[in-house]
Amino acid sequence: MLALKNIHKKFGDVEVLKGVDIQVEKGDIVVILGPSGSGKTTLLRCINFLERADEGTLLFDDIHTDFSKASKKEINAVRKKSAFVFQNYGLFDNKTVLENVTEGLIIGRKVPKKIAVETGIRALEKVGLSDRLDYYPSQLSGGQQQRVGIARALAVNPDVILFDEPTSALDPELVGEVLQVIRKLADEGTTMVVVTHEMAFAKEVASHIVFMSDGNIVEEGDAASFFDNPQEERTKQFLQRFRAVQV
């Protein structure tokens, strides 16, 4: 369904991605783990061209392109098949909850307003916010704002949803409500790529774990093997720190 090969990305003299390959099949929940600065978010942003990789290729169903040469038409085609959920919600402060969800449909995808509104309401019902349609972001908790971000992603009916540390900006007591929504999507077979520091959540929902460090993929595999029987020393060190924090 989705494959990225030999992805390289530099910011100035700093090489953030050093030849990364990643593959996502329909229905996968691929969770990308790793220490801060390992390249996780950059990799995620390269998938739908929020960052343009310097080198590498992308295959997304019938789209096959070189990152450095991708045309505007190809980039738009990738973005129509994917949706991005940001760390810091990315909502318009001057628009209501419903307007935030329908804006991309009406402006970006030229969906008639009536259909966009119906679609937006269904998406907000799915994340438990049908009673907040006319609220503004400032009237919502952080968890509610992030659920609006997820509803906005769902509304465009993407083939894959990309989550960039969706709980990192939340107070600890609000993390659970967002993770519960993502769990529900996982149970429904939604294809997702999730960058997160929520290790217990990753172990619970991931069909495939990718562990990154210093711009490379160090180890990958199913969740049970990754957490219970890691093969690489760097992975073992990372998991030991996690377990130490949990004690």
Side-chain angles (χ1 to χ4, degrees):
M1 174 189 173
L2 171 64
L4 287 76
K5 297 185 180 297
N6 195 35
I7 305 304
H8 289 260
K9 177 64 180 176
K10 279 187 175 182
F11 292 106
D13 295 329
V14 180
E15 191 174 16
V16 179
L17 297 175
K18 302 175 181 178
V20 173
D21 297 348
I22 188 169
Q23 187 161 328
V24 183
E25 301 296 341
K26 185 174 177 59
D28 276 354
I29 300 97
V30 176
V31 174
I32 304 176
L33 301 174
S36 297
S38 59
K40 308 182 300 296
T41 289
T42 299
L43 175 61
L44 196 73
R45 291 173 65 87
C46 283
I47 292 175
N48 74 339
F49 292 90
L50 290 173
E51 300 286 353
R52 186 187 280 263
D54 302 319
E55 184 180 337
T57 59
L58 177 144
L59 178 63
F60 196 169
D61 292 336
D62 58 344
I63 305 166
H64 190 190
T65 188
D66 187 304
F67 275 100
S68 64
K69 300 175 183 176
S71 66
K72 186 174 181 180
K73 181 179 179 180
E74 289 171 325
I75 292 171
N76 286 338
V78 169
R79 288 176 175 169
K80 283 187 175 181
K81 293 169 70 66
S82 59
F84 204 98
V85 177
F86 297 89
Q87 290 184 37
N88 294 311
Y89 326 136
L91 303 182
F92 297 107
D93 292 335
N94 63 335
K95 294 186 181 298
T96 66
V97 164
L98 183 57
E99 288 169 342
N100 266 283
V101 174
T102 59
E103 182 83 0
L105 293 171
I106 296 169
I107 304 300
R109 307 202 177 201
K110 310 303 181 187
V111 174
K113 185 174 181 179
K114 181 181 178 182
I115 296 174
V117 168
E118 292 171 352
T119 302
I121 291 172
R122 285 196 300 271
L124 287 161
E125 287 174 346
K126 201 163 191 175
V127 301
L129 289 175
S130 58
D131 59 342
R132 295 291 191 274
L133 302 183
D134 296 324
Y135 282 54
Y136 287 88
S138 62
Q139 298 172 296
L140 304 178
S141 70
Q144 289 171 330
Q145 290 185 60
Q146 189 59 291
R147 284 190 279 152
V148 175
I150 295 171
R152 179 177 55 192
L154 290 171
V156 299
N157 193 31
D159 292 342
V160 60
I161 302 179
L162 311 172
F163 291 85
D164 182 17
E165 299 193 24
T167 61
S168 66
L170 299 177
D171 293 333
E173 65 267 22
L174 299 177
V175 168
E177 66 185 73
V178 173
L179 294 182
Q180 187 56 43
V181 169
I182 301 174
R183 284 189 190 95
K184 181 180 177 183
L185 297 180
D187 290 342
E188 294 173 355
T190 304
T191 306
M192 296 182 279
V193 182
V194 185
V195 171
T196 185
H197 290 292
E198 297 290 339
M199 304 288 279
F201 170 76
K203 187 174 183 179
E204 176 189 345
V205 304
S207 60
H208 191 78
I209 299 280
V210 174
F211 173 62
M212 294 185 66
S213 182
D214 194 30
N216 293 296
I217 292 177
V218 176
E219 187 166 348
E220 57 183 310
D222 65 86
S225 299
F226 178 84
F227 282 99
D228 298 335
N229 190 30
Q231 300 299 302
E232 300 296 328
E233 187 59 33
R234 182 68 185 89
T235 311
K236 294 174 184 177
Q237 293 171 357
F238 178 79
L239 291 173
Q240 282 173 356
R241 288 198 194 96
F242 160 64
R243 289 167 183 143
V245 170
Q246 295 297 101
V247 172

